[in-house]
Amino acid sequence: MSKMNNENAFGAKVNETYLSYLLNGNKYPTGITKTVAENNMQKLSSNVSVTDQMGRALAMKEEFKKYCSKKGLGSVRKVYWTADGFNWKSVVGVDVDPKYNPTDVLVEFTSGKFMGISAKSTQKKSGGITFKNPGLGTISKEFNLNLESYVKKKEEEFIKANNLPQTQGNRKTAIRNDKKLAAKADEVGNEIISYIRDKYYDKLKSLPQDKIRNHIMTLWMNASDMTYPPYIKITGRGTDTNFNADIEEPNNNPKVKALAEGFIKVEKAGEQGINIKSGYLKIFTIGTKYNSQKLASSINFTGS
C-alpha cells in the first residue's frame, strides 16, 4: 500500500474499534479488539490522527444513540467488532457475506434486535467518500470474466522481460528504484486497468435491467431488502475539535430510490472508470486501481 492508503487503513481500524469501545460502555468488546485498536493507533503517523479518529467516533456514537431512540430499538445489550473470522451464525443465527453486508460494528439490543454499523471516517465536512472496494476476484467470479488470469499473464510477461523478482514486495522496491522501469510499469499497468474496465463495462452493458439493478443494489449499494442483519452507514467527519456525523440508511436514500425506479445507464468515464446513472442522474463512479504500485500489488474496484 502507499503511505496514504496505509494511513487510511490504520485510521479506519482505529475509528471502528474505538466506536465499538464507546458503544460498549467505554470498554473494548474483546481483548483482540483492544489489541488491534492499540496497534493501529501506534501505526498512525501522529497523535493528531488518532485523536481525530476518536473525535469522529464519538460524534458517530451520539448520532447512533439518537437514531436508536428514534427507531425505538431499546438499550444496548452487547457490542461486537466484526473483524475477519467473526462467527456471524453464532450471534445472529445466519451466515453473513461481507460482500453484501459491510457491517463493521454490530449492536445487539435488549429487545433481541440487531443493528449493524458500516463505519466511515473522513476529514471532509460534507459530501461523498469512497464507499466500496470489491476486489478483482469478486467481480471476475460473479461474471466469469477470468480477469485474474489475464492480470497474471501480463505480470509474468513484465517480470520476465525486465528480470524482476516474483514476490510483490521485492518487485515493488525494484520498480520504484528505477525511474525508467517505473514508467514502463505505469504504462503496462494502465493498459491492464483499461482492459479490466472495458471487460466489466461490456458485461454491465449486456445485462438486462433487472440483472444490472440487482447487481448494483446488492454488491455496490448493499441495499437489498434481504440484507440481514440490517445496517446503517455512519460517516464521522471533521478534524481538531470540529466533529460531526451523518447517518444513511441503505434502503432509504435518493440514489437507491432512483436506481429502483429509473432506467439504469452505464457509461465509460475516462480511461479507467464507469459511471452508473439512473436516467440522467449520476449515482456513482466505479473506478479500477492498483492498491499501490502498478505490476506489484493487487487490483481493486472502487465506488465513489
Side-chain angles (χ1 to χ4, degrees), residues 80-98:
Y80 307 86
W81 178 54
T82 63
D84 290 343
F86 178 68
N87 190 337
W88 281 96
K89 195 166 187 178
S90 69
V91 176
V92 302
V94 296
D95 291 320
V96 173
D97 188 339

Side-chain angles (χ1 to χ4, degrees), residues 55-167:
R56 292 171 203 158
L58 182 57
M60 294 159 75
K61 173 208 169 187
E62 295 304 319
E63 285 303 313
F64 184 69
K65 284 174 60 180
K66 293 176 189 176
Y67 179 85
C68 293
S69 177
K70 182 179 177 181
K71 295 292 183 178
L73 293 172
S75 302
V76 173
R77 177 179 175 273
K78 199 166 183 180
V79 176
Y80 307 86
W81 178 54
T82 63
D84 290 343
F86 178 68
N87 190 337
W88 281 96
K89 195 166 187 178
S90 69
V91 176
V92 302
V94 296
D95 291 320
V96 173
D97 188 339
K99 284 192 302 184
Y100 305 111
N101 190 323
T103 292
D104 299 305
V105 178
L106 179 67
V107 179
E108 181 180 356
F109 297 90
T110 52
S111 61
K113 294 180 179 179
F114 291 93
M115 179 58 67
I117 299 171
S118 174
K120 305 294 179 185
S121 176
T122 179
Q123 294 182 10
K124 291 183 179 180
K125 293 181 180 180
S126 62
I129 61 175
T130 298
F131 61 88
K132 198 74 183 284
N133 293 281
L136 182 68
T138 297
I139 302 298
S140 183
K141 184 178 179 181
E142 180 157 342
F143 296 122
N144 195 28
L145 294 175
N146 205 25
L147 296 173
E148 300 98 323
S149 294
Y150 167 77
V151 173
K152 185 177 180 180
K153 178 176 178 291
K154 297 295 287 186
E155 287 184 350
E156 288 295 337
E157 289 174 355
F158 189 79
I159 289 168
K160 185 176 180 180
N162 295 283
N163 194 28
L164 290 169
Q166 287 288 334
T167 58

